[in-house]
Amino acid sequence: DADVTQTPRNRITKTGKRIMLECSQTKGHDRMYWYRQDPGLGLQLIYYSFDVKDINKGEISDGYSVSRQAQAKFSLSLESAIPNQTALYFCATSDPTGGETQYFGPGTRLLVL
Amino acid sequence: DQQVKQNSPSLSVQEGRISILNCDYTNSMFDYFLWYKKYPAEGPTFLISISSIKDKNEDGRFTVFLNKSAKHLSLHIVPSQPGDSAVYFCAASVAGYGNKLVFGAGTILRVKS
């Protein structure tokens, strides 16, 4: 079984709709992250969380919100989706005692029409 | 501004030969560097890393070289295999800053058999 799972894997939605992307992990890591990938731009950090009570904005948090429901779960919401949020979204986890390495989920491909 | 740059969008190499992927960075505060490999429809997977106190790190066929004065690192794959065909991302962080990674845009490696 995968250590970091993301649901859904693919999603098509319309402009203005609210959607939620979910991430679960079985690695027991405290730290979780949300990234988006656009063609030619690599991965950009949206939000990150060091534990359930600690949530921080990343480079590109505008238009997004997150919820850390438990150590193992970190959700990303688009309150009112817009077409330029069409991208590949990745969740990642890390262990503060394990150095800088992050472990990624398989990604969610989102298309906003 | 892009703090981590991978200036070659793609690279094509013959099986058995050496693949060299390059990465430049601008932020002198970066002190930890990682390479990730990504296959289609999968999340990035950690490949190899290097701390700024070293100039070389090896793991099997993969070697990362760091030139701090030039703010440049490279990943060498020897010998290259068709299964190495993937997108390779360079990432950098400031150790102790919550594992926040800054990614390059990626280089597509194609290993021809």
Side-chain angles (χ1 to χ4, degrees):
Chain A
D1 288 341
D3 294 321
V4 184
T5 58
Q6 292 183 236
T7 56
R9 293 295 311 278
N10 295 279
R11 179 74 184 268
I12 301 174
T13 191
K14 294 183 179 179
T15 296
K17 294 291 188 181
R18 182 181 187 275
I19 68 162
M20 179 182 290
L21 310 182
E22 299 189 357
C23 176
S24 294
Q25 53 113 347
T26 59
K27 298 184 78 67
H29 290 169
D30 287 326
R31 297 181 174 180
M32 298 186 73
Y33 311 79
W34 274 104
Y35 292 88
R36 65 177 276 174
Q37 183 192 2
D38 297 279
L41 289 180
L43 283 75
Q44 297 174 279
L45 183 63
I46 306 172
Y47 270 95
Y48 60 103
S49 170
F50 287 170
D51 64 39
V52 174
K53 297 181 180 179
D54 183 25
I55 292 178
N56 306 277
K57 294 183 178 180
E59 307 167 67
I60 55 165
S61 59
D62 288 348
Y64 301 95
S65 63
V66 291
S67 173
R68 185 82 184 266
Q69 301 95 324
Q71 185 205 37
K73 295 184 182 297
F74 193 34
S75 300
L76 176 72
S77 293
L78 286 68
E79 298 300 327
S80 179
I82 56 177
N84 76 358
Q85 291 177 313
T86 292
L88 193 52
Y89 290 85
F90 290 103
C91 173
T93 74
S94 72
D95 177 356
T97 64
E100 308 298 306
T101 305
Q102 293 182 16
Y103 300 88
F104 286 81
T108 293
R109 187 171 296 278
L110 175 66
L111 173 62
V112 183
L113 300 174
Chain B
D1 63 334
Q2 282 188 291
Q3 297 185 67
V4 178
K5 299 180 182 179
Q6 294 177 254
N7 293 317
S8 297
S10 65
L11 174 67
S12 186
V13 171
Q14 197 67 33
E15 181 180 7
R17 305 295 292 269
I18 185 171
S19 295
I20 300 176
L21 296 98
N22 294 303
C23 179
D24 297 294
Y25 62 96
T26 58
N27 188 344
S28 58
M29 295 293 290
F30 288 144
D31 55 7
Y32 199 84
F33 304 90
L34 307 90
W35 284 94
Y36 280 82
K37 179 170 70 174
K38 183 184 179 304
Y39 292 119
E42 295 183 12
T45 56
F46 170 72
L47 190 57
I48 192 169
S49 63
I50 188 167
S51 164
S52 61
I53 62 174
K54 295 184 176 181
D55 55 17
K56 177 181 174 182
N57 189 29
E58 287 183 80
D59 184 1
R61 296 185 297 114
F62 303 91
T63 302
V64 56
F65 295 92
L66 175 62
N67 182 333
K68 285 180 291 184
S69 61
K71 294 191 178 68
H72 176 84
L73 64 155
S74 60
L75 174 68
H76 293 209
I77 307 174
V78 183
S80 301
Q81 300 173 353
D84 296 329
S85 297
V87 180
Y88 289 79
F89 291 101
C90 170
S93 73
V94 178
Y97 258 68
N99 307 95
K100 287 190 291 181
L101 298 179
V102 179
F103 284 83
T107 297
I108 301 171
L109 174 65
R110 296 186 185 90
V111 180
K112 299 177 288 187
S113 57

